Amino acid sequence: MQILVISPRVAPGILTLQAWDVLRSAATVRASVDDPHVRAIVSSGIPVEIAELTSHEPRTVWIAPTGDAAWARAMADELMSGDAADVEVIFGSYDLPGSSLLDVVEVMDRLRRECPWTAQQSHASLSHYLLEEAHETLEALDSGDDDHLREELGDLLMQIVFHARIAAEGQGWDIDDVAAGIATKLVHRNPHVFGDVTVSSADEVDANWQRLKAIEKQRTSVFDGIPATLPALAYADKVMGRLEILEVTGDDLGSRLLALVAEARAHGKDAEEVLRQAVRLLG
């Protein structure tokens, strides 16, 4: 007896050769739930009976509830705990890396349709949540707690998917456009990986990135594209980087702060990060 597990993130009817061989050679194929994956198998000419799995049946293939590998393993263990012969769990399709992102999109779609709070949100009403989640993610990164970082990255991802879902309702783009856009940008700005450019150091990679970015943006001001809401040290670092300023003179407090930012840049440091870490040590 065999139990077949199918990924919910793969289109119905897309199965491994092993899965099709098992289904075609079975005396009986049964499933506990009728769903699109089961119907695709039926459409291929293999009859499927809908029933509950209660006992071991030789030469029978049971199709597990889609995506429920835990159910398949639990049923196999339960059947084998008695007098039944071996029960084999077969995976008929597998998730590709990143496939769980589809779950986030699906959950957000349903929340937008069925949750009153989620349904009334807009880009503007979510803006402070996006900022909070970004700061909480940075805090988790600083803490060195991997589990905390994973959780906060999930919260930040949710904000991205949320904004994309809102845009899909009337702005002409969605999460696929967001993903396609960044994928295209990464390919274009990394010609040493995706093209024929040769580099010998990380500095050359960064220089190529900045050159290509400048060509794309065609900015007319050194301040273009730098968010004014950045913390002051980070804002100063961005502007000084564009101006390629390495030294600042003056005795007033602002000039001395700028000089410290320039000093940090000269040593390959991020002034904002250095100060944040120094403040954490105070506690």
Side-chain angles (χ1 to χ4, degrees):
M1 177 176 172
Q2 294 152 318
I3 300 178
L4 180 64
V5 180
I6 302 172
S7 169
R9 305 177 188 94
V10 175
I14 305 299
L15 300 175
T16 63
L17 178 60
Q18 181 190 20
W20 284 118
D21 287 343
V22 164
L23 288 167
R24 292 188 180 106
S25 62
T28 306
V29 178
R30 293 197 174 100
S32 58
V33 179
D34 183 15
D35 67 10
H37 294 272
V38 171
R39 290 191 287 276
I41 292 171
V42 172
S43 296
S44 74
I46 299 173
V48 179
E49 301 175 8
I50 305 301
E52 292 297 323
L53 175 55
T54 57
S55 61
H56 180 276
E57 300 177 66
R59 295 195 61 211
T60 297
V61 173
W62 278 91
I63 303 173
T66 301
D68 201 341
W71 180 92
R73 293 191 179 96
M75 292 306 300
D77 290 343
E78 181 179 333
L79 292 170
M80 291 174 64
S81 65
D83 297 329
D86 287 349
V87 178
E88 182 182 12
V89 176
I90 296 173
F91 287 86
S93 53
Y94 298 88
D95 292 340
L96 294 173
S99 59
S100 291
L101 294 174
L102 298 175
D103 295 343
V104 183
V105 174
E106 182 180 357
V107 168
M108 180 54 65
D109 284 347
R110 183 169 179 182
L111 286 172
R112 188 67 174 172
R113 293 192 307 269
E114 302 178 22
C115 170
W117 184 89
T118 305
Q120 71 180 15
Q121 300 309 308
S122 65
H123 290 310
S125 68
L126 291 174
S127 61
H128 68 285
Y129 293 111
L130 179 60
L131 183 61
E132 287 175 9
E133 296 299 352
H135 282 296
E136 289 176 10
T137 301
L138 185 57
E139 181 181 32
L141 184 63
D142 288 343
S143 73
D145 186 332
D146 284 346
D147 289 337
H148 188 199
L149 177 59
R150 174 189 50 76
E151 179 185 356
E152 294 300 339
L153 285 171
D155 291 343
L156 186 58
L157 174 63
M158 187 270 285
Q159 291 298 315
I160 296 170
V161 173
F162 205 159
H163 279 280
R165 179 62 176 81
I166 292 171
E169 296 170 9
Q171 292 167 255
W173 53 271
D174 58 17
I175 191 64
D176 288 316
D177 296 298
V178 173
I182 187 59
T184 299
K185 180 185 293 185
L186 288 172
V187 170
H188 176 65
R189 293 193 188 171
N190 289 280
H192 59 289
V193 175
F194 301 100
D196 56 4
V197 172
T198 300
V199 296
S200 58
S201 68
D203 287 342
E204 287 187 33
V205 172
D206 183 62
N208 282 338
W209 177 284
Q210 299 303 333
R211 178 181 58 80
L212 292 168
K213 182 177 180 180
I215 294 172
E216 292 170 19
K217 300 298 183 182
Q218 293 293 305
R219 289 175 172 140
T220 58
S221 167
V222 70
F223 298 102
D224 286 353
I226 301 179
T229 54
L230 278 177
L233 288 179
Y235 187 69
D237 182 83
K238 286 286 188 181
V239 172
M240 295 174 76
R242 294 223 182 141
L243 293 173
E244 298 184 356
I245 293 176
L246 299 177
E247 185 176 350
V248 178
T249 60
D251 293 330
D252 61 284
L253 181 58
S255 294
R256 296 202 304 273
L257 288 172
L258 284 173
L260 288 173
V261 175
E263 180 183 345
R265 288 185 57 81
H267 289 86
K269 302 290 186 181
D270 183 317
E272 185 76 30
E273 176 68 17
V274 171
L275 180 59
R276 186 169 60 250
Q277 294 295 343
V279 172
R280 288 177 65 87
L281 293 175
L282 293 177

